[in-house]
Amino acid sequence: MDLLLILTYSALCIAIFKIFKIPLNKWTVPTAILGGIALISTLLLLMNYNHPYTKFAREYFVTIPITPAVKGLVTEVNVKANMPVKKGDVLFKIDPVPYEAVVQQKLAALKEAEQQVPQLQAAYETAHANYKQAEANVIRTESAYKRYQKGHRDGGQNSPFTELELDNRRQLYFASVAQLDAAKAEELRNRLAYESNIDGVNTKVAGLQAELAKAQYDLDQTIVRAPTDGVVTQLALREGVMAVPLPLRPALTFIPDEERFVAGAFWQNSLLRLKEGDEAEVIVDAIPGVVFKGKVAKILPAMAEGEIQFSGNLQSSNKLFQRGRVLVLIDVEDHELLAQLPAGVAGQAAIYTEHFSHVAIMRKVLLRMQGWLNYLFGEGH
């Protein structure tokens, strides 16, 4: 950009000297040189500070690593590389046989548990009936024991009940009390088994329902679908590959359809002038001569050069030597034209602030001249 300004001034001076036939002497040449130095220096200072420019601009995009939730052999690859897909479209399939077997196993166990619930109810009712029977037996044996005891006591030597008969009745009574305790414990055990519920569902049944839901979820995950509208590029997945749920080894790279932003790296001395909403222009190396108009969407609040994360290592002073630049997001207006280009194209950008707005015209002219040079040169010249 600076070189363009110098070359433009040089061409203008040559034209003036030729057209007006100004002689080249010790007065005219130094005057043109010194005037050019003063004029160009002033313009550069005003432009670079008030209307910053960067040759480091790039369109950034987000990718989604597609990692399967379950492990298995890939049986089908349904997506085609670089072809648009819709949300929910099948990307690839994993062999479902092991997961179908688990679902059937859990389903059988659930059916068995559901059939056991009426059995638990019947067992509880039986235990309750046995308890009532044992309770009635206690009352009967106790009454007989007390009658024998009273008759033996009141009759004395003439008692119709012998000591042996009284002892038998006593033992029958004690045995019925023990049977009552056992029946009560059995009733309690069956009642707890029958009434053990979670939200009205038997606990064993509820546990197996949860296991079945987990098994069904794993089975559903054998079909991997697109998380949103987008495209898969650089497709290397093939049938027979073992897909594993490891975040560091995704099976596909998915590019979602999202609004594109261009990021430019500007010198830090422009921060006092930059603000959100400022007018901006971007030129892209891929389309020479085309200028994308836009607005400053966001000035990122942090710079990676000053980042510190927790670790067991001391920070080196070498980081202090890295000055870094401010990242500015630019929202371009012509999204349709930009969307026709490959995501991640590079270019250059300029921002026009409200200060010294008349100097912005020169910055716009120089930016367009830089764009025209893209016809001849690439890679940021």
Side-chain angles (χ1 to χ4, degrees), residues 114-148:
E114 290 175 344
Q115 292 176 357
Q116 289 177 354
V117 174
Q119 297 176 8
L120 292 175
Q121 182 181 6
Y124 167 62
E125 293 174 351
T126 301
H128 182 69
N130 292 336
Y131 170 72
K132 290 299 182 181
Q133 183 179 4
E135 191 176 34
N137 190 40
V138 168
I139 295 174
R140 181 179 60 80
T141 55
E142 182 183 16
S143 175
Y145 167 62
K146 289 181 177 179
R147 187 174 69 255
Y148 271 68

Side-chain angles (χ1 to χ4, degrees), residues 76-314:
E76 294 182 25
V77 179
N78 305 86
V79 67
K80 294 183 179 180
N82 308 315
M83 296 297 293
V85 295
K86 295 293 183 180
K87 181 178 180 180
D89 287 352
V90 178
L91 300 180
F92 63 93
K93 295 181 180 179
I94 295 174
D95 186 8
V97 173
Y99 301 97
E100 290 173 347
V102 175
V103 169
Q104 292 299 321
Q105 181 184 17
K106 299 299 180 183
L107 184 59
L110 176 61
K111 292 299 182 182
E112 181 182 3
E114 290 175 344
Q115 292 176 357
Q116 289 177 354
V117 174
Q119 297 176 8
L120 292 175
Q121 182 181 6
Y124 167 62
E125 293 174 351
T126 301
H128 182 69
N130 292 336
Y131 170 72
K132 290 299 182 181
Q133 183 179 4
E135 191 176 34
N137 190 40
V138 168
I139 295 174
R140 181 179 60 80
T141 55
E142 182 183 16
S143 175
Y145 167 62
K146 289 181 177 179
R147 187 174 69 255
Y148 271 68
Q149 186 181 40
K150 184 176 183 300
H152 182 74
R153 185 178 61 249
D154 294 343
Q157 294 295 331
N158 299 321
S159 172
F161 305 118
T162 64
E163 186 71 29
L164 179 60
E165 290 175 329
L166 178 62
D167 185 63
N168 287 337
R169 293 295 174 178
R170 182 187 301 112
Q171 296 303 323
L172 289 174
Y173 168 64
F174 289 158
S176 65
V177 171
Q179 290 176 357
L180 177 63
D181 292 340
K184 185 178 181 180
E186 183 67 13
E187 183 204 34
L188 178 62
R189 184 180 68 82
N190 285 276
R191 181 171 64 84
L192 292 176
Y194 172 64
E195 295 181 352
S196 178
N197 295 326
I198 298 177
D199 296 332
V201 181
N202 181 266
T203 51
K204 186 176 181 180
V205 172
L208 289 172
Q209 285 177 345
E211 292 179 9
L212 177 61
K214 175 63 169 58
Q216 185 63 50
Y217 173 81
D218 290 343
L219 176 60
D220 295 339
Q221 297 309 305
T222 58
I223 300 178
V224 182
R225 301 180 181 275
T228 183
D229 296 351
V231 65
V232 174
T233 188
Q234 298 185 9
L235 178 64
L237 186 66
R238 297 293 185 272
E239 296 181 10
V241 172
M242 176 62 71
V244 293
L246 292 178
L248 299 179
R249 192 179 179 183
L252 299 174
T253 298
F254 188 85
I255 303 175
D257 288 339
E258 294 180 345
E259 183 178 346
R260 296 186 179 186
F261 280 93
V262 175
F266 292 86
W267 291 115
Q268 299 181 33
N269 58 3
S270 302
L271 279 174
L272 291 178
R273 296 301 196 197
L274 295 179
K275 70 177 186 301
E276 295 181 16
D278 282 343
E279 181 186 356
E281 289 183 338
V282 178
I283 58 174
V284 178
D285 296 345
I287 310 181
V290 176
V291 178
F292 292 90
K293 295 184 177 295
K295 299 285 185 181
V296 174
K298 189 69 177 178
I299 301 172
L300 297 190
M303 299 172 59
E305 287 77 11
E307 178 188 13
I308 295 178
Q309 291 186 356
F310 169 77
S311 68
N313 301 323
L314 296 177

